[in-house]
């Protein structure tokens, strides 16, 4: 569930219903508790007769009757009036929301997402705890709220999740925050009851135990050393450091490279585009050439594609058709749409052909892949082309030659597409399309086409990929004279 923001969005409606159901239950429960309190007071008053007077309550016929009546039926009815609704509430909860609620695994991976965002964007733990995901980017429409403040038990849970994932460096950091918060709470408590609270002692003991486990399990020396392997990352630290720096927009092409970049209106000599040329921005001229096309799809078309995809969504995997696995490398859900699924899909596929000058008919392309990223959703550095060992499309269709990536939504922060070799960061631009070549003209994979999807911090990122293959494009993108062209 954590791997798709569209699925997480549905949880908001679920919790709204639970809040209303609980408020109704609590209102009725208060009335039932008041009735029980009155019943107990009456029983206690009558029992005082046996204590204050020599005559037992049962010696009086009315007293005996009331006692027998209470113990034979009234007590049972009163207890049932309080506890049976609670049982009914639990049963209703289980029946109405079965299969709609996140699992413990979702909670664990949600904690990992917080840690991933902290590392990639160098977020301050204190800001995360207070609900502020500061990136140096525009987040003015995300209001500050104490409702988003993490409690001590939330912080401790994140620390335990980091430990279970062998992320000892962050486990220590979050444990320290948990301890500091608990000590601050104790200092603020005037009567010191909090420091004597057994729950505090239990938490403190758990923290100390976890600290001892970290020290004994740590295989890399100093757990605060940033050079240690990141358990959530698949690539080497050097590659991940470059990837994360690009996600933070810290790296840019050299000034002499930037000076050769251009913006223009493009028509490719096509009559259709002559009437409405497309705004294009060249982001890289070296291999691979990276071009951003603006406004290649309308809001209505983007929404139609998303709506068509939602019922077909499944967890994204990595690998090839012979061996695919779910992985933290890729946190998203996806669906495949055929041109026949909707007129909009067919129209967009043809438009991509006009923009790129390539053959985008079904015989030369894959189905439209639509993705929705999840909590902290990312796709670590990878190539879209397949190696000789991985090739799965046969000689007629050939390898993936070009990638056309469309942004179907905006995000508030994060989610950029980055090219670690080309040193290019492409922020999410709603309705824009990003084109880059996966292969050299010789048919070899272009290693410089290495790219990645940065973790989404705030927002729901939707994209659609159209992969264009060699087959059918032999005369539209001809071979060069050198194997390295």
């Amino acid at each position: 569930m954590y791997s798709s923001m569209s699925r997480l969005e549905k949880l908001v409606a679920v919790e709204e219903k639970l809040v209303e159901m609980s408020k109704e239950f609590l209102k009725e429960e208060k009335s039932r508790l008041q009735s029980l309190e009155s019943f107990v007071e009456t029983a206690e008053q009558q029992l005082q007769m046996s204590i204050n007077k020599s005559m037992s309550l049962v010696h009086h016929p009315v007293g005996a009757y009331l006692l027998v009546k209470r113990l034979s039926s009234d007590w049972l009815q009163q207890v049932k009036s309080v506890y049976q609704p609670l049982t009914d509430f639990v049963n209703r909860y289980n029946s109405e929301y079965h299969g709609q609620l996140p699992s413990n695994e979702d909670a664990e991976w949600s904690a990992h997402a917080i840690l991933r965002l902290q590392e990639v964007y160098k977020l301050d733990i204190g800001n995360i705890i207070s609900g502020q995901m500061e990136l140096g980017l525009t987040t003015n429409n995300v209001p500050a709220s104490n409702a988003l403040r993490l409690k001590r038990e939330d912080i401790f849970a994140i620390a335990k999740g980091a430990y279970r994932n062998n992320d000892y460096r962050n486990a220590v950091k979050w444990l320290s925050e948990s301890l500091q918060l608990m000590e601050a709470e104790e200092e603020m408590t005037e009567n010191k009851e909090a420091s004597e609270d057994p729950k505090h002692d239990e938490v403190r003991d758990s923290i100390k135990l976890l600290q001892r486990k970290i020290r004994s399990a740590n295989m890399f020396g100093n757990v605060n050393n940033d050079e240690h392997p990141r358990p959530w990352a698949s690539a080497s630290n050097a590659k991940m450091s470059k990837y994360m720096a690009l996600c933070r927009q810290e790296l840019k092409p050299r000034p002499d490279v930037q000076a050769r970049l251009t913006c223009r209106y493009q028509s490719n000599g096509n009559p259709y585009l002559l009437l409405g040329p497309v705004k294009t921005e060249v982001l890289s001229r070296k291999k691979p050439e990276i071009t951003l096309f603006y406004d290649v799809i309308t809001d209505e078309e983007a929404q139609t594609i998303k709506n068509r995809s939602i019922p077909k969504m499944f967890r994204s995997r990595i690998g090839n058709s012979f061996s695919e696995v779910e992985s933290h490398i890729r946190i998203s859900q996806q669906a495949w749409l055929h041109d026949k699924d909707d007129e909009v899909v067919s129209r967009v596929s043809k438009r991509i052909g006009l923009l790129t000058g390539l053959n985008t008919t079904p015989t030369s392309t894959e189905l439209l892949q639509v993705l929705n990223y999840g909590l902290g959703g990312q796709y670590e550095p990878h190539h879209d082309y397949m190696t000789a060992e991985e090739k799965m499309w046969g000689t007629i269709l050939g390898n993936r030659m070009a990638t056309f990536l469309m942004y179907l939504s905006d995000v508030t922060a994060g989610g950029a597409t980055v090219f670690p070799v080309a040193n290019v960061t492409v922020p999410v631009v709603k309705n824009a399309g990003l084109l880059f070549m996966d292969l050299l003209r010789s048919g070899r994979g272009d290693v410089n086409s290495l790219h990645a999807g940065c973790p989404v911090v705030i927002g729901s990122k939707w994209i659609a990929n159209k992969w264009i293959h060699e087959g059918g494009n032999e005369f539209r993108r001809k071979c060069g004279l050198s194997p390295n062209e």
Side-chain angles (χ1 to χ4, degrees):
M1 190 168 288
Y2 71 94
S3 61
S4 169
M5 198 56 66
S6 67
R7 293 196 65 187
L8 289 174
E9 287 166 356
K10 294 177 182 177
L11 294 181
V12 176
V14 171
E15 187 157 57
E16 284 178 348
K17 292 179 182 177
L18 279 174
V19 167
E20 289 301 316
M21 192 170 79
S22 298
K23 286 168 67 176
E24 180 184 348
F25 170 79
L26 289 171
K27 181 180 179 181
E28 295 172 353
E29 190 70 0
K30 285 178 182 178
S31 175
R32 290 189 289 264
L33 288 172
Q34 288 173 352
S35 175
L36 176 61
E37 184 179 24
S38 176
F39 175 80
V40 170
E41 287 177 356
T42 300
E44 188 178 31
Q45 290 173 0
Q46 293 178 8
L47 287 172
Q48 290 295 324
M49 295 177 60
S50 297
I51 299 172
N52 300 332
K53 298 182 179 180
S54 57
M55 182 183 69
S56 172
L57 174 65
V58 297
H59 292 169
H60 192 288
V62 174
Y65 164 73
L66 291 174
L67 178 63
V68 171
K69 181 176 179 292
R70 280 199 300 274
L71 292 176
S72 64
S73 61
D74 291 358
W75 270 108
L76 183 61
Q77 290 176 2
Q78 287 292 334
V79 170
K80 279 185 175 181
S81 73
V82 174
Y83 290 102
Q84 186 59 46
L86 180 59
T87 302
D88 294 340
F89 178 83
V90 172
N91 291 336
R92 180 183 173 189
Y93 174 89
N94 288 332
S95 62
E96 288 192 19
Y97 299 103
H98 179 71
Q100 299 183 49
L101 303 175
S103 64
N104 290 333
E105 181 187 14
D106 288 310
E108 185 88 358
W109 281 103
S110 296
H112 291 171
I114 297 292
L115 296 169
R116 185 186 310 117
L117 294 172
Q118 172 200 336
E119 287 250 333
V120 172
Y121 295 104
K122 292 185 176 179
L123 300 179
D124 179 76
I125 294 180
N127 285 342
I128 296 176
I129 291 172
S130 65
Q132 295 299 301
M133 307 296 282
E134 298 295 341
L135 286 180
L137 303 175
T138 303
T139 56
N140 294 335
N141 59 337
V142 182
S145 171
N146 285 331
L148 296 177
R149 180 177 291 275
L150 294 176
K151 297 180 181 178
R152 185 185 65 248
E153 55 268 28
D154 301 322
I155 300 169
F156 185 54
I158 292 175
K160 287 195 296 183
Y163 166 75
R164 284 193 291 269
N165 201 34
N166 300 325
D167 188 357
Y168 306 131
R169 176 179 58 252
N170 279 315
V172 168
K173 291 178 182 178
W174 284 85
L175 278 177
S176 176
E177 292 290 337
S178 183
L179 271 173
Q180 290 178 22
L181 186 58
M182 186 167 62
E183 290 168 358
E185 289 175 354
E186 291 173 351
E187 289 177 3
M188 293 176 62
T189 305
E190 294 180 357
N191 57 15
K192 299 298 181 183
E193 288 180 0
S195 61
E196 298 171 2
D197 188 346
K199 291 184 179 179
H200 274 228
D201 293 334
E202 183 181 344
V203 171
R204 188 179 286 104
D205 290 342
S206 297
I207 289 174
K208 289 179 179 178
L209 175 62
L210 193 52
Q211 286 175 325
R212 287 197 298 271
K213 287 183 176 181
I214 290 171
R215 283 194 293 269
S216 63
N218 177 33
M219 306 291 290
F220 308 106
N222 179 6
V223 293
N224 292 313
N225 188 340
D226 285 339
E227 293 304 314
H228 293 158
R230 292 171 170 83
W232 51 268
S234 62
S236 68
N237 266 15
K239 289 182 179 179
M240 290 305 298
S241 295
K242 179 78 175 288
Y243 157 63
M244 293 189 292
L246 285 167
C247 288
R248 295 190 296 268
Q249 301 185 28
E250 293 176 353
L251 303 177
K252 297 183 183 299
R254 299 191 317 270
D256 61 315
V257 174
Q258 285 185 311
R260 296 195 296 271
L261 304 181
T262 60
C263 294
R264 65 179 184 272
Y265 281 94
Q266 181 171 314
S267 64
N268 285 340
N270 187 287
Y272 177 87
L273 294 178
L274 284 173
L275 296 174
V278 179
K279 292 179 288 185
T280 62
E281 181 179 358
V282 177
L283 303 176
S284 174
R285 286 195 175 279
K286 64 180 182 179
K287 300 170 186 173
E289 183 172 314
I290 304 169
T291 305
L292 187 66
F293 298 81
Y294 289 85
D295 300 320
V296 300
I297 190 171
T298 66
D299 289 343
E300 292 76 15
E301 288 172 333
Q303 191 59 51
T304 296
I305 290 173
K306 289 190 285 187
N307 291 343
R308 283 286 189 179
S309 302
I310 289 174
K312 300 182 178 183
M313 285 282 181
F314 60 92
R315 175 68 192 273
S316 298
R317 298 176 175 87
I318 60 171
N320 53 49
S321 60
F322 305 106
S323 176
E324 288 188 327
V325 294
E326 294 180 2
S327 171
H328 61 265
I329 293 172
R330 192 181 191 190
I331 307 296
S332 63
Q333 292 201 6
Q334 67 182 58
W336 297 93
L337 295 183
H338 195 283
D339 283 4
K340 295 179 180 179
D341 287 340
D342 195 284
E343 188 271 334
V344 167
V345 180
S346 176
R347 186 166 68 236
V348 168
S349 293
K350 292 176 183 176
R351 190 177 304 149
I352 294 172
L354 295 174
L355 294 170
T356 62
L358 298 173
N359 182 359
T360 56
T361 60
T363 56
S364 294
T365 60
E366 296 176 47
L367 303 183
L368 187 70
Q369 185 194 55
V370 184
L371 298 104
N372 180 226
Y373 285 81
L375 183 60
Q378 64 163 8
Y379 194 174
E380 288 183 15
H382 63 283
H383 295 100
D384 283 351
Y385 63 81
M386 293 292 177
T387 64
E389 294 78 17
E390 296 173 319
K391 262 189 180 177
M392 50 192 261
W393 296 290
T395 56
I396 296 178
L397 187 58
N399 210 338
R400 287 173 176 168
M401 183 182 70
T403 296
F404 195 90
L405 184 156
M406 293 178 291
Y407 299 102
L408 306 181
S409 69
D410 276 323
V411 296
T412 302
T417 305
V418 298
F419 295 80
V421 180
N423 231 28
V424 171
T425 298
V426 187
V428 174
V429 180
K430 189 175 188 295
N431 296 342
L434 187 67
L435 172 68
F436 58 93
M437 293 296 169
D438 300 303
L439 302 181
L440 302 173
R441 289 184 177 273
S442 63
R444 292 180 179 178
D446 185 354
V447 295
N448 293 344
S449 67
L450 185 74
H451 61 285
C454 296
V456 180
V457 182
I458 301 173
S460 179
K461 179 183 175 183
W462 284 85
I463 65 170
N465 290 315
K466 193 67 173 178
W467 280 302
I468 306 168
H469 284 249
E470 296 171 287
N473 282 295
E474 297 87 348
F475 298 103
R476 300 200 182 202
R477 187 179 188 245
K478 298 179 181 179
C479 291
L481 300 178
S482 166
N484 296 320
E485 274 192 61

